[in-house]
Amino acid sequence: MMKKLLLPFAVLAFTACQQQAKQEGSENKALPISNPGSVTVYTTADSAGLRIAKTASLPFVDMPQPLETQPCIFIDPRNQFQTITGIGAALTDAAAETFAKLPTGKQQEFLKAYFDTTAGNGYTMARTHINSCDFSSGSYTYVKDGDTALTSFDISHDKQYRIPFIKQCIAAAGGKLGMLVSPWSPPAFMKDNNNMLEGGKLKPGYRQHWADYYVKFIRAYEAEGIPVWGLTVQNEPMAKQRWESCIYSAEDERDFIKAYLGPTLQKNGMQDKKLIAWDHNRDLIFQRASTILNDPEAAKYVWGIGFHWYETWTGGDMQFDNLRLVHQAFPGKHLVFTEGCKEKFNLDSVYNWSLGERYGNSMINDFNNGTVAWIDWNILLDETGGPNHVGNLCFAPVHADTRSGELIYTNAYYYIGHFSKFVRPGAKRIAASSSRSQLQTTAFQNIDGSIVVVVLNTTSQRIPYNLWINGRAAATESMPHSIVSLVL
């Protein structure tokens, strides 16, 4: 029997800032902290068994110019960057079906763990799919085969599990959850391979019908009480997958946006929906962004560029420099992490510490390179890493053992929580610099003026350091394989 990690409600004492940004991109009016008094430390560490636990309240003391021998994390709130939209995860068919199998008490525990701002991670964003995806129990669309007029459009399929699940998540989040929607494939009859699976391309003659389909979906979900914040054009448009997929070259996506999807959204009064292009890995992100955003007629409809982290399939590292280049080249657009997970699920590996460290590394570097929102993949999966109708089984931060009705919290849940719990919508990223490569860091100032500094240590070393701000410092220590949120 596997040992179950208990969600540490008792130690999650920090009450996060609840006020939402008054408007997107609003300025943080709080003055920089010039004379900090103390900082509260929340820690997750491997060997210590700590999970977002309040571990210290540290005083600041005067510290003039640090020496090179004194490791420091330097913070300067006077230098502010992008405004954070939110953090969350995907509410898929698989998550909804797994949730439905849980006992009522465990369902409530799950909702509290993810959406409660005091006793949980305080998620504020979500993503879901238009039509089926691989994390569905089977392939489906919302129209009958060949119905170009879309008169048969019906989301009844989603009313069994997914829509009720999403509604409970919205309620648990306080009635507001920014929802991003993404298609994996148009209906088979609209594609040149006549199959929702195995790639294929949208037939030119169906581009307007497909653009109308997005509008139908958004209206149907909003009629169910699920407001849609934004949409992506296509999930992973360069991947021919054995599951639902559809290929767009950069030029295909550009032309579909400017001639069909963008105008159709505008014509239907949906110009406020955030349209996000690419929605694929960091490897080709600059080529895709430059092709679309250097065309003024396409760029005017595009709010941002979405990306995933699976470029590591080549055996290389995550390519954060490509994000930085997109951010530098197109500062008026927004970077959004739209999906990531550890693939090739194995139940024996749910407590592998590298799961969370991958999240910590990605989130710190994504935010430091201009990302405004970060959305994980499946919020919940079962003990098999599914359900998934093509066997593409993966890890989630939380798994449900549907045989016993228990929840399994991987350390990825806690690593994400070090950001989502403390960094609230409307926060500004502020300058943060580490004098040691072993300590990765990023920092934010919430709209209430509180500052949150995240420090990641993926080494086996115990590293003393000083949190330094404006000539004052708090001495602390980074545990091996740990992540901390320092709140002041």
Side-chain angles (χ1 to χ4, degrees):
M1 180 69 66
M2 298 176 59
K3 184 179 179 182
K4 173 177 169 286
L5 284 180
L6 296 177
L7 184 65
F9 293 137
V11 298
L12 299 184
F14 177 79
T15 302
C17 169
Q18 309 251 342
Q19 183 180 2
Q20 303 294 311
K22 293 182 179 179
Q23 60 184 27
E24 180 185 307
S26 62
E27 290 298 322
N28 188 325
K29 300 300 184 182
L31 295 174
I33 295 177
S34 58
N35 188 27
S38 65
V39 57
T40 304
V41 184
Y42 298 86
T43 304
T44 293
D46 186 8
S47 60
L50 300 169
R51 304 294 183 265
I52 318 185
K54 182 177 178 180
T55 51
S57 182
L58 305 172
F60 279 85
V61 298
D62 290 338
M63 184 181 188
Q65 176 63 56
L67 302 176
E68 290 180 314
T69 55
Q70 296 174 298
C72 286
I73 300 292
F74 299 104
I75 306 301
D76 187 355
R78 295 166 295 189
N79 289 283
Q80 298 192 345
F81 308 103
Q82 78 271 22
T83 301
I84 303 305
T85 302
I87 298 170
L91 310 180
T92 59
D93 283 335
E97 292 170 26
T98 302
F99 178 82
K101 295 177 183 177
L102 287 170
T104 302
K106 288 297 179 179
Q107 289 181 344
Q108 293 307 308
E109 178 186 323
F110 167 87
L111 293 169
K112 188 174 184 179
Y114 269 116
F115 298 103
D116 191 284
T117 56
T118 301
N121 277 0
Y123 277 15
T124 55
M125 296 197 74
R127 180 180 181 228
T128 199
H129 43 96
I130 301 172
N131 293 329
S132 57
C133 70
D134 49 328
F135 280 92
S136 300
S137 292
S139 292
Y140 62 87
T141 71
Y142 304 116
V143 295
K144 295 179 180 177
D145 190 49
D147 179 14
T148 57
L150 309 182
T151 54
S152 61
F153 193 94
D154 184 0
I155 59 168
S156 292
H157 172 280
D158 297 1
K159 293 180 181 179
Q160 183 177 6
Y161 295 114
R162 185 153 44 119
I163 287 175
F165 175 59
I166 292 173
K167 286 182 177 181
Q168 289 193 65
C169 291
I170 292 173
K176 184 177 181 182
L177 195 61
M179 180 63 68
L180 179 67
V181 300
S182 304
W184 266 239
S185 174
F189 71 86
M190 294 187 183
K191 297 172 65 182
D192 61 6
N193 67 344
N194 295 306
N195 189 351
M196 289 185 70
L197 317 184
E198 299 290 346
K201 301 187 72 170
L202 179 66
K203 294 177 184 177
Y206 287 95
R207 288 177 293 190
Q208 186 57 57
H209 303 296
W210 183 227
D212 293 337
Y213 202 101
Y214 296 75
V215 171
K216 288 270 192 180
F217 178 84
I218 292 170
R219 283 182 173 160
Y221 261 57
E222 293 194 333
E224 292 294 320
I226 302 173
V228 172
W229 170 84
L231 66 157
T232 71
V233 180
Q234 167 64 40
N235 176 73
E236 299 186 347
M238 287 303 295
K240 178 184 177 180
Q241 305 284 24
R242 66 182 187 273
W243 53 86
E244 290 82 346
S245 45
C246 186
I247 306 299
Y248 290 75
S249 69
E251 293 77 14
D252 291 337
E253 187 173 10
R254 176 197 65 198
D255 296 345
F256 179 59
I257 290 170
K258 73 177 180 180
Y260 297 94
L261 185 54
T264 299
L265 292 171
Q266 193 167 61
K267 181 179 68 176
N268 285 276
M270 295 185 180
Q271 60 271 16
D272 62 322
K273 307 301 181 189
K274 309 299 188 290
L275 181 59
I276 295 171
W278 186 224
D279 199 9
H280 204 167
N281 299 329
R282 302 183 188 95
D283 49 6
L284 300 181
I285 190 172
F286 181 76
Q287 183 262 345
R288 183 67 51 135
S290 63
T291 300
I292 294 173
L293 299 180
N294 281 320
D295 184 323
E297 291 306 305
K300 69 182 181 182
Y301 296 114
V302 176
W303 184 82
I305 302 293
F307 64 95
H308 302 179
W309 73 16
Y310 307 113
E311 69 271 14
T312 55
W313 70 268
T314 62
D317 296 327
M318 295 181 182
Q319 296 182 276
F320 301 114
D321 283 348
N322 289 345
L323 298 183
R324 177 174 49 82
L325 185 58
V326 171
H327 184 57
Q328 290 172 338
F330 307 102
K333 301 302 180 180
H334 304 82
L335 287 168
V336 178
F337 183 88
T338 50
E339 183 185 319
C341 73
K342 174 69 170 67
E343 300 163 286
K344 299 180 180 178
F345 179 77
N346 182 336
L347 186 60
D348 293 335
S349 298
V350 292
Y351 298 128
N352 189 321
W353 204 254
S354 66
L355 293 175
E357 291 187 336
R358 183 173 184 177
Y359 279 86
N361 177 57
S362 179
M363 295 182 80
I364 283 176
N365 285 281
D366 290 337
F367 284 125
N368 283 346
N369 285 287
T371 297
V372 302
W374 210 95
I375 305 174
D376 184 29
W377 189 208
N378 293 281
I379 196 169
L380 176 70
L381 292 173
D382 67 16
E383 71 278 2
T384 72
N388 184 293
H389 73 91
V390 291
N392 181 34
L393 304 171
C394 298
F395 287 85
V398 177
H399 286 267
D401 188 332
T402 59
R403 301 163 300 183
S404 65
E406 294 298 321
L407 293 172
I408 302 166
Y409 295 87
T410 78
N411 71 320
Y413 165 82
Y414 302 101
Y415 271 67
I416 298 170
H418 275 275
F419 297 86
S420 63
K421 182 176 180 64
F422 304 105
V423 181
R424 306 305 296 162
K428 291 276 191 180
R429 183 173 68 85
I430 61 175
S433 173
S434 173
S435 69
R436 294 293 186 272
S437 62
Q438 297 91 335
L439 299 178
Q440 297 184 58
T441 190
T442 189
F444 308 85
Q445 187 165 32
N446 286 308
I447 56 177
D448 67 351
S450 63
I451 287 176
V452 181
V453 184
V454 180
V455 179
L456 174 70
N457 179 0
T458 61
T459 77
S460 299
Q461 304 174 46
R462 185 177 291 271
I463 306 172
Y465 68 96
N466 293 281
L467 179 64
W468 192 97
I469 177 171
N470 197 36
R472 288 173 65 79
T476 186
E477 186 176 68
S478 176
M479 295 181 182
H481 294 288
S482 69
I483 187 170
V484 298
S485 296
L486 303 109
V487 182
L488 62 150

